[in-house]
Amino acid sequence: MLVSMNQVLKSAEDRQCCIGAFDTPSLEILMAVLKAAEKRNEPVIVQHAQLHECEIPIDVIGPIMVRMAEDALIPVCVMLDHGEDIAYVKKALSLGFSAVMIDGSSLPYEENVRLTRAVTDLAKEYNADVEAEIGIVTGHEGRVYDIRDVSEAYTEPELAARFVKDTGIDALAASVGTVHGFYATKPKLDFERIKRIRELTGVPLVMHGGSGVSVEDTQMAIRCGIRKINYFSYMSNAGVKAVKKLLEEQDVKYFHELANAAILAMEEDVLHAMAMFALD
Ligand SMILES: [Zn+2]
């Protein structure tokens, strides 16, 4: 069933664990994520990132995401990831998305507040929840980043608290040592910072760039207050590896054989990620 972000984050809070949020810029990825969540019988968040508009338009994948969420046997939140402008946020909401993330993190503080505030006002009309970001989680899916580049972009706990108050958001994406995409060097998470931000803001925290963080560090971050982890790159790459392997081993004639092999491998990877997020 289609549910709100606050509902799934509340269930994570009750269980003191974390919900996986997966970008699904293809039907194969969407199927893999929902199959894994149903297998584990746990809530899940599926997301469409505005930067994936060029891979697949929200007009195409959005209605499929909403329909599959409604039909799912488990609670599913359908969410916009890294919304960049009001028009796109509005499009997601009008398609029936139950939550949106607006990313004004590269803007000066006051402008970030203004943009985020406009989104929280708009989301209210649709009864949808809002995540926003302060501090910058750098990187982009599909490129490799050096973790040393990001230390100056960490979220300041006091400013984060002010931001939550000024905007009325439901969840906060904080920069605590992760980057998007693949890591060039081992990430170093700032656990004290996570605890302090959680303490001062009082809202569920979101960690972006979940791929490539060790099980130990991921679970420590969850114990410090992370309630949603955005995880994409490793899952997507698991699909690529499966397709490569199949092409090396067999003389494949039909595309759907590649698609199905990718779905199976990505489902396995999501099962693994969900177990880690559930502190299993
Ligand atoms: Zn992100």
Side-chain angles (χ1 to χ4, degrees), residues 48-50 53 58 78-104 115-124 126 128-131:
H48 183 69
Q50 186 166 349
E53 179 67 23
I58 194 170
V78 178
M79 184 161 182
L80 172 67
D81 190 22
H82 290 283
E84 295 159 24
D85 59 81
I86 296 286
Y88 202 86
V89 167
K90 198 164 187 176
K91 192 179 241 189
L93 291 169
S94 64
L95 286 170
F97 281 36
S98 55
V100 289
M101 187 240 184
I102 181 72
D103 183 357
L115 176 67
T116 304
R117 187 77 238 178
V119 169
T120 50
D121 286 346
L122 181 64
K124 260 190 213 124
Y126 292 85
D129 306 323
V130 177
E131 172 192 336

mmCIF file of all heavy atoms in Angstrom, residues 48-50 53 58 78-104 115-124 126 128-131:
data_model
loop_
_atom_site.group_PDB
_atom_site.id
_atom_site.type_symbol
_atom_site.label_atom_id
_atom_site.label_comp_id
_atom_site.label_asym_id
_atom_site.label_seq_id
_atom_site.Cartn_x
_atom_site.Cartn_y
_atom_site.Cartn_z
ATOM 1 N N HIS A 48 12.268 8.746 -7.119
ATOM 2 C CA HIS A 48 12.719 9.192 -8.434
ATOM 3 C C HIS A 48 13.486 10.489 -8.245
ATOM 4 O O HIS A 48 12.951 11.466 -7.724
ATOM 5 C CB HIS A 48 11.538 9.415 -9.383
ATOM 6 C CG HIS A 48 11.987 9.809 -10.751
ATOM 7 N ND1 HIS A 48 12.645 8.945 -11.588
ATOM 8 C CD2 HIS A 48 11.915 10.983 -11.430
ATOM 9 C CE1 HIS A 48 12.941 9.558 -12.728
ATOM 10 N NE2 HIS A 48 12.513 10.789 -12.648
ATOM 11 N N ALA A 49 14.757 10.488 -8.630
ATOM 12 C CA ALA A 49 15.578 11.692 -8.502
ATOM 13 C C ALA A 49 15.405 12.560 -9.739
ATOM 14 O O ALA A 49 15.361 12.045 -10.856
ATOM 15 C CB ALA A 49 17.046 11.313 -8.333
ATOM 16 N N GLN A 50 15.328 13.878 -9.492
ATOM 17 C CA GLN A 50 15.150 14.780 -10.645
ATOM 18 C C GLN A 50 16.295 14.634 -11.643
ATOM 19 O O GLN A 50 16.090 14.749 -12.844
ATOM 20 C CB GLN A 50 15.022 16.233 -10.156
ATOM 21 C CG GLN A 50 14.680 17.200 -11.286
ATOM 22 C CD GLN A 50 14.222 18.564 -10.797
ATOM 23 O OE1 GLN A 50 13.953 18.763 -9.614
ATOM 24 N NE2 GLN A 50 14.138 19.513 -11.718
ATOM 25 N N GLU A 53 15.826 12.356 -14.604
ATOM 26 C CA GLU A 53 14.807 12.696 -15.608
ATOM 27 C C GLU A 53 15.294 12.332 -17.019
ATOM 28 O O GLU A 53 14.505 11.915 -17.868
ATOM 29 C CB GLU A 53 14.482 14.191 -15.515
ATOM 30 C CG GLU A 53 13.451 14.696 -16.510
ATOM 31 C CD GLU A 53 12.029 14.151 -16.288
ATOM 32 O OE1 GLU A 53 11.702 13.745 -15.156
ATOM 33 O OE2 GLU A 53 11.261 14.142 -17.267
ATOM 34 N N ILE A 58 9.798 11.398 -15.266
ATOM 35 C CA ILE A 58 8.895 11.134 -14.143
ATOM 36 C C ILE A 58 7.475 10.866 -14.651
ATOM 37 O O ILE A 58 6.721 10.107 -14.036
ATOM 38 C CB ILE A 58 8.928 12.307 -13.120
ATOM 39 C CG1 ILE A 58 8.267 11.886 -11.799
ATOM 40 C CG2 ILE A 58 8.277 13.569 -13.696
ATOM 41 C CD1 ILE A 58 8.476 12.875 -10.668
ATOM 42 N N VAL A 78 6.355 6.589 -1.897
ATOM 43 C CA VAL A 78 6.889 6.988 -3.203
ATOM 44 C C VAL A 78 7.316 8.443 -3.091
ATOM 45 O O VAL A 78 6.511 9.314 -2.747
ATOM 46 C CB VAL A 78 5.846 6.810 -4.320
ATOM 47 C CG1 VAL A 78 6.416 7.288 -5.656
ATOM 48 C CG2 VAL A 78 5.412 5.354 -4.422
ATOM 49 N N MET A 79 8.568 8.690 -3.383
ATOM 50 C CA MET A 79 9.158 9.971 -3.022
ATOM 51 C C MET A 79 9.980 10.584 -4.151
ATOM 52 O O MET A 79 10.624 9.861 -4.909
ATOM 53 C CB MET A 79 10.063 9.683 -1.814
ATOM 54 C CG MET A 79 10.707 10.870 -1.213
ATOM 55 S SD MET A 79 11.267 10.495 0.464
ATOM 56 C CE MET A 79 11.912 12.115 0.860
ATOM 57 N N LEU A 80 9.965 11.899 -4.232
ATOM 58 C CA LEU A 80 10.881 12.606 -5.129
ATOM 59 C C LEU A 80 12.212 12.767 -4.408
ATOM 60 O O LEU A 80 12.255 13.155 -3.248
ATOM 61 C CB LEU A 80 10.307 13.991 -5.490
ATOM 62 C CG LEU A 80 11.256 14.917 -6.270
ATOM 63 C CD1 LEU A 80 11.543 14.371 -7.661
ATOM 64 C CD2 LEU A 80 10.661 16.320 -6.375
ATOM 65 N N ASP A 81 13.313 12.456 -5.098
ATOM 66 C CA ASP A 81 14.651 12.583 -4.511
ATOM 67 C C ASP A 81 15.372 13.766 -5.172
ATOM 68 O O ASP A 81 15.351 13.891 -6.398
ATOM 69 C CB ASP A 81 15.421 11.272 -4.757
ATOM 70 C CG ASP A 81 16.732 11.213 -3.985
ATOM 71 O OD1 ASP A 81 16.854 11.934 -2.974
ATOM 72 O OD2 ASP A 81 17.612 10.430 -4.389
ATOM 73 N N HIS A 82 15.985 14.606 -4.358
ATOM 74 C CA HIS A 82 16.733 15.771 -4.861
ATOM 75 C C HIS A 82 15.944 16.608 -5.864
ATOM 76 O O HIS A 82 16.410 16.854 -6.984
ATOM 77 C CB HIS A 82 18.068 15.347 -5.483
ATOM 78 C CG HIS A 82 19.062 14.863 -4.466
ATOM 79 N ND1 HIS A 82 19.766 15.721 -3.649
ATOM 80 C CD2 HIS A 82 19.430 13.614 -4.128
ATOM 81 C CE1 HIS A 82 20.543 15.008 -2.844
ATOM 82 N NE2 HIS A 82 20.355 13.724 -3.107
ATOM 83 N N GLY A 83 14.740 17.026 -5.441
ATOM 84 C CA GLY A 83 13.991 17.987 -6.240
ATOM 85 C C GLY A 83 14.782 19.283 -6.305
ATOM 86 O O GLY A 83 15.394 19.700 -5.322
ATOM 87 N N GLU A 84 14.792 19.900 -7.485
ATOM 88 C CA GLU A 84 15.614 21.096 -7.670
ATOM 89 C C GLU A 84 14.786 22.374 -7.835
ATOM 90 O O GLU A 84 15.288 23.468 -7.628
ATOM 91 C CB GLU A 84 16.525 20.913 -8.896
ATOM 92 C CG GLU A 84 17.541 19.794 -8.700
ATOM 93 C CD GLU A 84 18.090 19.261 -10.021
ATOM 94 O OE1 GLU A 84 18.061 20.001 -11.023
ATOM 95 O OE2 GLU A 84 18.533 18.098 -10.049
ATOM 96 N N ASP A 85 13.532 22.233 -8.259
ATOM 97 C CA ASP A 85 12.699 23.427 -8.448
ATOM 98 C C ASP A 85 11.235 23.097 -8.153
ATOM 99 O O ASP A 85 10.822 21.935 -8.164
ATOM 100 C CB ASP A 85 12.851 23.966 -9.869
ATOM 101 C CG ASP A 85 12.462 22.927 -10.899
ATOM 102 O OD1 ASP A 85 11.257 22.773 -11.150
ATOM 103 O OD2 ASP A 85 13.356 22.234 -11.435
ATOM 104 N N ILE A 86 10.473 24.162 -7.890
ATOM 105 C CA ILE A 86 9.078 24.015 -7.474
ATOM 106 C C ILE A 86 8.224 23.315 -8.534
ATOM 107 O O ILE A 86 7.368 22.493 -8.209
ATOM 108 C CB ILE A 86 8.472 25.407 -7.154
ATOM 109 C CG1 ILE A 86 9.201 26.038 -5.965
ATOM 110 C CG2 ILE A 86 6.982 25.297 -6.868
ATOM 111 C CD1 ILE A 86 8.869 25.448 -4.625
ATOM 112 N N ALA A 87 8.466 23.631 -9.803
ATOM 113 C CA ALA A 87 7.643 23.045 -10.867
ATOM 114 C C ALA A 87 7.773 21.518 -10.873
ATOM 115 O O ALA A 87 6.775 20.796 -11.021
ATOM 116 C CB ALA A 87 8.060 23.616 -12.226
ATOM 117 N N TYR A 88 8.996 21.028 -10.686
ATOM 118 C CA TYR A 88 9.207 19.575 -10.694
ATOM 119 C C TYR A 88 8.594 18.929 -9.446
ATOM 120 O O TYR A 88 7.997 17.859 -9.511
ATOM 121 C CB TYR A 88 10.711 19.268 -10.787
ATOM 122 C CG TYR A 88 10.993 17.888 -11.322
ATOM 123 C CD1 TYR A 88 11.064 17.650 -12.692
ATOM 124 C CD2 TYR A 88 11.192 16.801 -10.455
ATOM 125 C CE1 TYR A 88 11.324 16.378 -13.193
ATOM 126 C CE2 TYR A 88 11.446 15.539 -10.945
ATOM 127 C CZ TYR A 88 11.515 15.322 -12.312
ATOM 128 O OH TYR A 88 11.766 14.062 -12.803
ATOM 129 N N VAL A 89 8.732 19.605 -8.304
ATOM 130 C CA VAL A 89 8.126 19.122 -7.058
ATOM 131 C C VAL A 89 6.618 18.999 -7.245
ATOM 132 O O VAL A 89 6.002 17.993 -6.861
ATOM 133 C CB VAL A 89 8.444 20.088 -5.885
ATOM 134 C CG1 VAL A 89 7.583 19.786 -4.677
ATOM 135 C CG2 VAL A 89 9.924 20.014 -5.512
ATOM 136 N N LYS A 90 6.030 20.016 -7.869
ATOM 137 C CA LYS A 90 4.590 20.034 -8.086
ATOM 138 C C LYS A 90 4.161 18.881 -8.989
ATOM 139 O O LYS A 90 3.120 18.241 -8.768
ATOM 140 C CB LYS A 90 4.186 21.380 -8.709
ATOM 141 C CG LYS A 90 2.723 21.658 -8.571
ATOM 142 C CD LYS A 90 2.410 23.115 -8.826
ATOM 143 C CE LYS A 90 0.938 23.346 -8.497
ATOM 144 N NZ LYS A 90 0.542 24.706 -8.603
ATOM 145 N N LYS A 91 4.986 18.591 -9.980
ATOM 146 C CA LYS A 91 4.686 17.492 -10.895
ATOM 147 C C LYS A 91 4.653 16.165 -10.119
ATOM 148 O O LYS A 91 3.729 15.372 -10.283
ATOM 149 C CB LYS A 91 5.772 17.446 -11.986
ATOM 150 C CG LYS A 91 5.415 16.545 -13.140
ATOM 151 C CD LYS A 91 6.515 16.574 -14.173
ATOM 152 C CE LYS A 91 6.012 17.091 -15.499
ATOM 153 N NZ LYS A 91 6.991 16.933 -16.571
ATOM 154 N N ALA A 92 5.665 15.951 -9.274
ATOM 155 C CA ALA A 92 5.721 14.718 -8.476
ATOM 156 C C ALA A 92 4.492 14.600 -7.587
ATOM 157 O O ALA A 92 3.858 13.544 -7.504
ATOM 158 C CB ALA A 92 7.001 14.697 -7.633
ATOM 159 N N LEU A 93 4.133 15.712 -6.924
ATOM 160 C CA LEU A 93 2.980 15.693 -6.019
ATOM 161 C C LEU A 93 1.689 15.416 -6.781
ATOM 162 O O LEU A 93 0.837 14.654 -6.327
ATOM 163 C CB LEU A 93 2.888 17.022 -5.268
ATOM 164 C CG LEU A 93 3.996 17.276 -4.234
ATOM 165 C CD1 LEU A 93 3.954 18.728 -3.760
ATOM 166 C CD2 LEU A 93 3.886 16.315 -3.051
ATOM 167 N N SER A 94 1.566 16.000 -7.969
ATOM 168 C CA SER A 94 0.328 15.801 -8.738
ATOM 169 C C SER A 94 0.235 14.381 -9.294
ATOM 170 O O SER A 94 -0.854 13.906 -9.607
ATOM 171 C CB SER A 94 0.203 16.840 -9.846
ATOM 172 O OG SER A 94 1.247 16.661 -10.770
ATOM 173 N N LEU A 95 1.385 13.703 -9.409
ATOM 174 C CA LEU A 95 1.365 12.292 -9.842
ATOM 175 C C LEU A 95 0.990 11.354 -8.689
ATOM 176 O O LEU A 95 0.817 10.161 -8.880
ATOM 177 C CB LEU A 95 2.728 11.886 -10.410
ATOM 178 C CG LEU A 95 3.067 12.440 -11.798
ATOM 179 C CD1 LEU A 95 4.537 12.166 -12.141
ATOM 180 C CD2 LEU A 95 2.164 11.830 -12.864
ATOM 181 N N GLY A 96 0.938 11.895 -7.462
ATOM 182 C CA GLY A 96 0.535 11.078 -6.321
ATOM 183 C C GLY A 96 1.680 10.648 -5.412
ATOM 184 O O GLY A 96 1.504 9.797 -4.538
ATOM 185 N N PHE A 97 2.874 11.230 -5.598
ATOM 186 C CA PHE A 97 3.996 10.916 -4.701
ATOM 187 C C PHE A 97 3.610 11.327 -3.274
ATOM 188 O O PHE A 97 3.001 12.376 -3.076
ATOM 189 C CB PHE A 97 5.264 11.673 -5.136
ATOM 190 C CG PHE A 97 5.994 11.061 -6.302
ATOM 191 C CD1 PHE A 97 5.298 10.456 -7.337
ATOM 192 C CD2 PHE A 97 7.382 11.079 -6.365
ATOM 193 C CE1 PHE A 97 5.966 9.884 -8.421
ATOM 194 C CE2 PHE A 97 8.062 10.516 -7.435
ATOM 195 C CZ PHE A 97 7.357 9.918 -8.476
ATOM 196 N N SER A 98 3.982 10.495 -2.300
ATOM 197 C CA SER A 98 3.561 10.784 -0.929
ATOM 198 C C SER A 98 4.594 11.598 -0.154
ATOM 199 O O SER A 98 4.346 11.990 0.985
ATOM 200 C CB SER A 98 3.240 9.483 -0.194
ATOM 201 O OG SER A 98 4.327 8.589 -0.238
ATOM 202 N N ALA A 99 5.756 11.839 -0.762
ATOM 203 C CA ALA A 99 6.777 12.670 -0.122
ATOM 204 C C ALA A 99 7.695 13.268 -1.184
ATOM 205 O O ALA A 99 7.815 12.725 -2.285
ATOM 206 C CB ALA A 99 7.601 11.853 0.871
ATOM 207 N N VAL A 100 8.322 14.385 -0.816
ATOM 208 C CA VAL A 100 9.289 15.009 -1.729
ATOM 209 C C VAL A 100 10.515 15.465 -0.948
ATOM 210 O O VAL A 100 10.415 15.887 0.200
ATOM 211 C CB VAL A 100 8.693 16.240 -2.461
ATOM 212 C CG1 VAL A 100 7.659 15.811 -3.489
ATOM 213 C CG2 VAL A 100 8.077 17.231 -1.490
ATOM 214 N N MET A 101 11.673 15.358 -1.597
ATOM 215 C CA MET A 101 12.872 15.960 -1.038
ATOM 216 C C MET A 101 13.218 17.160 -1.904
ATOM 217 O O MET A 101 13.249 17.060 -3.130
ATOM 218 C CB MET A 101 14.044 14.974 -1.063
ATOM 219 C CG MET A 101 15.253 15.511 -0.328
ATOM 220 S SD MET A 101 16.692 15.657 -1.378
ATOM 221 C CE MET A 101 17.933 16.193 -0.220
ATOM 222 N N ILE A 102 13.429 18.293 -1.248
ATOM 223 C CA ILE A 102 13.882 19.478 -1.982
ATOM 224 C C ILE A 102 15.336 19.726 -1.569
ATOM 225 O O ILE A 102 15.655 19.677 -0.391
ATOM 226 C CB ILE A 102 12.985 20.714 -1.710
ATOM 227 C CG1 ILE A 102 13.463 21.926 -2.515
ATOM 228 C CG2 ILE A 102 12.889 21.053 -0.242
ATOM 229 C CD1 ILE A 102 13.192 21.830 -4.004
ATOM 230 N N ASP A 103 16.190 19.937 -2.557
ATOM 231 C CA ASP A 103 17.610 20.096 -2.270
ATOM 232 C C ASP A 103 18.072 21.507 -2.606
ATOM 233 O O ASP A 103 18.440 21.809 -3.732
ATOM 234 C CB ASP A 103 18.416 19.058 -3.059
ATOM 235 C CG ASP A 103 19.891 19.129 -2.730
ATOM 236 O OD1 ASP A 103 20.285 20.018 -1.934
ATOM 237 O OD2 ASP A 103 20.659 18.304 -3.256
ATOM 238 N N GLY A 104 18.046 22.339 -1.583
ATOM 239 C CA GLY A 104 18.554 23.707 -1.749
ATOM 240 C C GLY A 104 19.903 23.851 -1.067
ATOM 241 O O GLY A 104 20.323 24.957 -0.720
ATOM 242 N N LEU A 115 13.223 28.424 -0.401
ATOM 243 C CA LEU A 115 12.830 27.360 -1.330
ATOM 244 C C LEU A 115 12.157 26.207 -0.579
ATOM 245 O O LEU A 115 11.096 25.707 -0.970
ATOM 246 C CB LEU A 115 14.069 26.842 -2.086
ATOM 247 C CG LEU A 115 13.844 25.660 -3.033
ATOM 248 C CD1 LEU A 115 12.970 26.072 -4.211
ATOM 249 C CD2 LEU A 115 15.194 25.125 -3.554
ATOM 250 N N THR A 116 12.767 25.809 0.538
ATOM 251 C CA THR A 116 12.249 24.677 1.313
ATOM 252 C C THR A 116 10.880 25.002 1.900
ATOM 253 O O THR A 116 9.967 24.179 1.908
ATOM 254 C CB THR A 116 13.252 24.285 2.420
ATOM 255 O OG1 THR A 116 14.516 24.017 1.815
ATOM 256 C CG2 THR A 116 12.793 23.057 3.172
ATOM 257 N N ARG A 117 10.755 26.235 2.400
ATOM 258 C CA ARG A 117 9.480 26.707 2.968
ATOM 259 C C ARG A 117 8.364 26.658 1.908
ATOM 260 O O ARG A 117 7.243 26.233 2.178
ATOM 261 C CB ARG A 117 9.700 28.151 3.463
ATOM 262 C CG ARG A 117 8.583 28.782 4.214
ATOM 263 C CD ARG A 117 8.505 28.281 5.629
ATOM 264 N NE ARG A 117 7.193 27.709 5.845
ATOM 265 C CZ ARG A 117 6.778 27.134 6.958
ATOM 266 N NH1 ARG A 117 7.597 27.005 7.990
ATOM 267 N NH2 ARG A 117 5.566 26.657 7.060
ATOM 268 N N ALA A 118 8.694 27.065 0.703
ATOM 269 C CA ALA A 118 7.709 27.033 -0.388
ATOM 270 C C ALA A 118 7.268 25.593 -0.648
ATOM 271 O O ALA A 118 6.092 25.325 -0.929
ATOM 272 C CB ALA A 118 8.310 27.642 -1.651
ATOM 273 N N VAL A 119 8.212 24.657 -0.533
ATOM 274 C CA VAL A 119 7.889 23.245 -0.766
ATOM 275 C C VAL A 119 7.045 22.671 0.378
ATOM 276 O O VAL A 119 6.088 21.938 0.140
ATOM 277 C CB VAL A 119 9.170 22.408 -0.978
ATOM 278 C CG1 VAL A 119 8.873 20.920 -0.946
ATOM 279 C CG2 VAL A 119 9.824 22.781 -2.307
ATOM 280 N N THR A 120 7.359 23.024 1.620
ATOM 281 C CA THR A 120 6.543 22.507 2.734
ATOM 282 C C THR A 120 5.107 23.050 2.637
ATOM 283 O O THR A 120 4.154 22.323 2.898
ATOM 284 C CB THR A 120 7.141 22.829 4.130
ATOM 285 O OG1 THR A 120 7.444 24.215 4.197
ATOM 286 C CG2 THR A 120 8.373 22.026 4.421
ATOM 287 N N ASP A 121 4.964 24.312 2.212
ATOM 288 C CA ASP A 121 3.613 24.886 2.031
ATOM 289 C C ASP A 121 2.852 24.135 0.938
ATOM 290 O O ASP A 121 1.687 23.785 1.104
ATOM 291 C CB ASP A 121 3.702 26.374 1.655
ATOM 292 C CG ASP A 121 4.102 27.234 2.848
ATOM 293 O OD1 ASP A 121 4.043 26.721 3.985
ATOM 294 O OD2 ASP A 121 4.497 28.398 2.641
ATOM 295 N N LEU A 122 3.538 23.887 -0.178
ATOM 296 C CA LEU A 122 2.914 23.198 -1.306
ATOM 297 C C LEU A 122 2.554 21.750 -0.938
ATOM 298 O O LEU A 122 1.453 21.266 -1.242
ATOM 299 C CB LEU A 122 3.882 23.203 -2.506
ATOM 300 C CG LEU A 122 3.408 22.554 -3.794
ATOM 301 C CD1 LEU A 122 2.208 23.298 -4.374
ATOM 302 C CD2 LEU A 122 4.547 22.521 -4.820
ATOM 303 N N ALA A 123 3.483 21.066 -0.253
ATOM 304 C CA ALA A 123 3.275 19.657 0.101
ATOM 305 C C ALA A 123 2.060 19.477 1.009
ATOM 306 O O ALA A 123 1.362 18.461 0.933
ATOM 307 C CB ALA A 123 4.526 19.085 0.758
ATOM 308 N N LYS A 124 1.822 20.490 1.855
ATOM 309 C CA LYS A 124 0.657 20.433 2.759
ATOM 310 C C LYS A 124 -0.640 20.267 1.972
ATOM 311 O O LYS A 124 -1.539 19.530 2.375
ATOM 312 C CB LYS A 124 0.594 21.714 3.597
ATOM 313 C CG LYS A 124 1.150 21.511 4.987
ATOM 314 C CD LYS A 124 0.856 22.702 5.880
ATOM 315 C CE LYS A 124 2.008 22.853 6.862
ATOM 316 N NZ LYS A 124 2.647 24.164 6.839
ATOM 317 N N TYR A 126 -1.104 18.709 -0.607
ATOM 318 C CA TYR A 126 -1.204 17.330 -1.128
ATOM 319 C C TYR A 126 -1.105 16.295 0.003
ATOM 320 O O TYR A 126 -1.021 15.105 -0.269
ATOM 321 C CB TYR A 126 -0.103 17.073 -2.150
ATOM 322 C CG TYR A 126 -0.250 17.863 -3.426
ATOM 323 C CD1 TYR A 126 0.234 19.167 -3.524
ATOM 324 C CD2 TYR A 126 -0.878 17.305 -4.535
ATOM 325 C CE1 TYR A 126 0.108 19.897 -4.703
ATOM 326 C CE2 TYR A 126 -1.002 18.027 -5.723
ATOM 327 C CZ TYR A 126 -0.499 19.316 -5.795
ATOM 328 O OH TYR A 126 -0.618 20.030 -6.971
ATOM 329 N N ALA A 128 1.442 15.642 1.747
ATOM 330 C CA ALA A 128 2.704 14.915 1.545
ATOM 331 C C ALA A 128 3.772 15.418 2.517
ATOM 332 O O ALA A 128 3.673 16.533 3.035
ATOM 333 C CB ALA A 128 3.179 15.106 0.113
ATOM 334 N N ASP A 129 4.777 14.603 2.759
ATOM 335 C CA ASP A 129 5.846 14.940 3.701
ATOM 336 C C ASP A 129 7.078 15.468 2.960
ATOM 337 O O ASP A 129 7.251 15.204 1.773
ATOM 338 C CB ASP A 129 6.233 13.703 4.521
ATOM 339 C CG ASP A 129 5.022 13.096 5.198
ATOM 340 O OD1 ASP A 129 4.142 13.858 5.638
ATOM 341 O OD2 ASP A 129 4.947 11.852 5.261
ATOM 342 N N VAL A 130 7.935 16.165 3.705
ATOM 343 C CA VAL A 130 9.079 16.826 3.067
ATOM 344 C C VAL A 130 10.403 16.522 3.775
ATOM 345 O O VAL A 130 10.511 16.598 4.993
ATOM 346 C CB VAL A 130 8.870 18.367 3.040
ATOM 347 C CG1 VAL A 130 10.092 19.064 2.434
ATOM 348 C CG2 VAL A 130 7.606 18.731 2.257
ATOM 349 N N GLU A 131 11.398 16.195 2.941
ATOM 350 C CA GLU A 131 12.789 16.093 3.410
ATOM 351 C C GLU A 131 13.565 17.216 2.734
ATOM 352 O O GLU A 131 13.306 17.535 1.570
ATOM 353 C CB GLU A 131 13.375 14.727 2.972
ATOM 354 C CG GLU A 131 14.869 14.587 3.247
ATOM 355 C CD GLU A 131 15.480 13.353 2.538
ATOM 356 O OE1 GLU A 131 14.742 12.385 2.237
ATOM 357 O OE2 GLU A 131 16.687 13.392 2.269
#
